[in-house]
Amino acid sequence: MKKYHVSAHKTSTGAYFGASRYCDTIEEAQAEQKDLISRGYTVEIYEESPEGLKKV
């Protein structure tokens, strides 16, 4: 089963805030992405594979 890694970050007044979540489905990952973007984060989704994480 594929897993998806949602990576988010934002910089506010010089401080770096990062968040990372793992999801079982692409739909779940996209919902997380939408939520985090609405909070001002820059978000990327990666898919786990035998070669490592691949950007979706």
Side-chain angles (χ1 to χ4, degrees), residues 2-6 21-26 29 46-47 56:
K2 294 180 182 177
K3 292 259 186 193
Y4 296 90
H5 178 217
V6 181
R21 296 192 175 109
Y22 284 90
C23 302
D24 292 326
T25 67
I26 189 65
Y46 297 91
E47 180 181 21
V56 175

Side-chain angles (χ1 to χ4, degrees), residues 10-48:
K10 70 178 175 180
T11 303
S12 177
T13 62
Y16 178 86
F17 298 95
S20 175
R21 296 192 175 109
Y22 284 90
C23 302
D24 292 326
T25 67
I26 189 65
E27 293 82 10
E28 185 182 351
Q30 289 169 334
E32 288 286 341
Q33 179 185 40
K34 184 177 179 181
D35 178 55
L36 289 164
I37 288 173
S38 74
R39 294 195 235 168
Y41 283 83
T42 300
V43 184
E44 294 179 344
I45 298 175
Y46 297 91
E47 180 181 21
E48 288 185 351

